[in-house]
């Protein structure tokens, strides 16, 4: 493995050249000229360098004032200095309007210019002659204004474009998970380049050395977020270059590795192919390698007795301590979905037979485990209530030794007579009975839950609308941890106070996954009801990241405004409801082969004695 400051690999080939303003290029929608002959395995074609734990993709754009030559690998493109003004140009090209018609152009900061000041924040509805912009139009403008460019190519969207926020923290970065709804919105709009670029650039980040206090996590890890930085070149007066800085958790609050990033990346890759019809991206050698690296990391043998992925607290959307370490449902649903997506995309070749076998085995075991042991409804709850404990045997009913006293009083009231859900986590002697929304919704989308379970989850959401949706969709989890439990589990986290942020806060971005789940179950009217709720206030409230209180009445205490995934989540929901069949690009239908495998390999059968020969007769 290379060390800092070491040039790892230098390959010639076309780096993504700025094409947007290049009068000689094929226009705004022409594909960037990525390294064409991608034969490379690990470093995959781009000229790359590791420097002080930052990734420098030396396809950097160096600019030296008007008329400067931009160097992109070997390719030199005549460029004007203004080509660094990525976002305005992007907004223009996406929107079909010219930026100049709307605003003065401003310089980029972190790869994003302040194009948002082309709109007067929060005043979309009342501009000029009482011009009323629809919420959707406003959302598109905001989404386009959040686009980040690298070397003139759109590669992602920043987490929040809240210029009035006192603490930006890392919200000026492109988060992998946050980009998913943005990417899908662009895909559904037929704007594919940004997603293609995102997939390929984040892939470049994957294989870089990442260390924290001399320790490196697994090779396939995808970053939580990255940032485009424009820095002076040093050698030449006023010349600058753009650098991608990736964060794999080494800088993140709590230093948690984002397990979900790679899983989302695979899901987006499949959606890109399905939506654009361009399968050349998933067929690339480097993309296949990247996918396998993620899979190998997830499928690696460990000490586990369970097929579920064992992760630390905060390794997904809930990215700080909330008592979700172990085998949280969200990760399992994404894992299952990513395995199915990868299986569709992996090129059959001798070298991957073992991987595909491991993947298939895991799918069967994982779906059995979740469907059987995570599922809870009134009947199951009553069974747990009457569990016998301390069963030492291979065929125990209460396999995980759950003490009935663990059933929390709130659950007895909460569980409707019709409906059920998958619990948040299962560990030896511990069931986390909290309802986690994303895990449940993605279990529906990915068919990790059975058809009956999927309907039951939606039944429960309908029955418990006042608790789970209330005034703004939708609670990240239910109920909130309070008092001593909050103190112990969150470590007295002042951001995760009861009914705020990750601790029972309401997150509008979840609307898109909710819509996917409702459409898959042919119950779009439930999602429509939620969209109507969102439309009542989200624009007026300036697109907050989350809402607080039991009924989601307040804008979150520390919520960022103009949060991109709140905006794109809404847009995806609208686009899908207008064209429900488009949801196919990310749902996974129940695989009949898998069901058969599950039946024939039924783990519920008595522990077998296959091959066991009684050595002697007594
Ligand atoms: C918060 C959320 C996380 C999200 C990030 C950027 O940390 O918990 O899921 O990715 O903000 O929006």
């Amino acid at each position: 493995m290379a060390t800092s400051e070491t040039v790892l690999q230098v390959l010639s080939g076309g780096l993504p050249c700025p094409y947007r303003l290049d009068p000689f290029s094929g226009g705004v929608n022409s594909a960037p000229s990525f390294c064409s002959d991608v034969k490379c395995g690990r470093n995959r074609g781009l000229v790359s360098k590791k420097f002080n734990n930052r990734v420098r993709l030396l396809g950097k754009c160096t600019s030296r004032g008007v008329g400067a030559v931009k160097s992109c690998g070997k390719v030199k493109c005549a460029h004007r200095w203004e080509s660094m003004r990525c976002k305005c140009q992007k907004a223009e090209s996406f929107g079909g309007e010219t930026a100049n018609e709307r605003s003065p152009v401003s310089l980029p900061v972190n790869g994003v210019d302040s194009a948002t000041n082309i709109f007067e924040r929060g005043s979309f509805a009342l501009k000029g002659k009482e011009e009323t912009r629809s919420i959707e139009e406003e959302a598109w403008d905001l989404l386009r204004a959040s686009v980040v460019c690298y070397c003139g190519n759109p590669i992602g969207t920043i987490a929040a474009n809240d210029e009035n926020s006192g603490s930006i923290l890392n919200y000026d970065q492109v988060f992998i998970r946050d980009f998913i709804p943005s990417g899908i919105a662009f895909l559904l709009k037929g704007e594919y380049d940004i997603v293609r670029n995102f997939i390929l650039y984040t892939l470049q980040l994957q294989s870089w050395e990442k260390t924290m206090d001399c320790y490196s996590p697994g090779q396939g890890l995808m970053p939580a977020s990255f940032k485009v930085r424009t820095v002076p070149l040093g050698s030449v007066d006023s010349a600058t270059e753009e650098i991608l800085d990736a964060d794999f958790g080494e800088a993140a609050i709590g230093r948690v590795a984002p397990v979900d990033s790679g899983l989302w990346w695979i899901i987006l890759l499949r959606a890109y192919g399905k939506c654009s019809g361009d399968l050349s991206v998933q067929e690339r050698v480097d993309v296949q390698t990247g996918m396998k690296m993620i899979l190998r990391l997830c499928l690696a043998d460990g000490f586990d007795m369970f097929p579920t992925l064992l992760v630390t607290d905060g390794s997904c959307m809930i990215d700080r301590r909330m008592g979700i370490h172990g085998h949280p449902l969200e990760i399992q649903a994404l894992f299952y979905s990513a395995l199915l997506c990868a299986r569709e995309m992996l090129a059959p070749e001798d070298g991957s037979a073992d991987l595909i076998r491991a993947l298939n085995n895991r799918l069967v075991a994982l779906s059995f485990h979740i469907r059987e042991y995570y599922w809870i409804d009134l009947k199951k709850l009553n069974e747990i209530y009457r569990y016998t404990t301390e069963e030492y045997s291979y065929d125990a009913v209460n396999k995980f030794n759950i003490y009935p006293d663990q059933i929390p009083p709130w659950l007895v009231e909460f569980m409707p007579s019709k409906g059920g859900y998958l619990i948040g986590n299962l560990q030896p002697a511990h069931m986390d009975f909290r309802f986690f929304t994303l895990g449940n919704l993605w279990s529906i989308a990915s068919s990790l839950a059975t058809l009956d379970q999927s309907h039951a989850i939606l039944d429960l959401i309908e029955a418990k609308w006042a608790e789970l949706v209330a005034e703004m969709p939708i609670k990240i989890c239910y109920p909130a941890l309070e008092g001593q439990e909050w103190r112990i589990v969150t470590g007295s986290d002042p951001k995760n106070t009861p009914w705020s942020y990750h601790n029972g806060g309401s997150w509008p971005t979840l609307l898109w996954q909710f819509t996917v789940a409702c459409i898959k179950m042919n119950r779009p009217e439930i999602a429509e009801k939620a969209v109507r709720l969102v439309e009542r206030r989200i624009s007026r409230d300036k697109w907050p990241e989350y809402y607080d209180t039991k009924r989601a009445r307040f804008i979150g205490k520390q919520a960022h405004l103009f949060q991109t995934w709140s905006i794109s989540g809404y847009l995806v929901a609208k686009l899908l409801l207008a064209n429900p069949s488009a949801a196919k690009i990310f749902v996974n239908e129940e695989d009949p082969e898998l069901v058969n495998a599950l039946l024939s390999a039924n783990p519920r059968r008595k522990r077998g004695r296959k091959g066991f020969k009684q050595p002697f007769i007594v």
Side-chain angles (χ1 to χ4, degrees), residues 159 171 175 177-178 316-317 319 501-502 507 545 563 565:
Y171 282 73
F175 278 74
R177 72 175 73 87
D178 294 41
C316 51
M317 178 181 178
D319 56 358
Y501 198 46
H502 298 144
W507 292 65
E545 181 185 13
Q563 179 80 18
W565 68 356

Side-chain angles (χ1 to χ4, degrees), residues 246-287:
D247 178 11
F248 294 87
E250 323 95 292
I253 295 167
R255 304 292 190 264
V256 184
V259 180
D260 63 339
S261 289
L263 305 173
W264 277 122
W265 184 88
I266 291 178
I267 294 167
L268 186 67
L269 175 65
R270 171 179 174 261
Y272 169 82
K274 280 201 171 284
C275 199
S276 68
D278 169 17
L279 300 184
S280 70
V281 173
Q282 56 181 258
E283 285 165 0
R284 284 169 59 132
V285 176
D286 54 346
V287 173

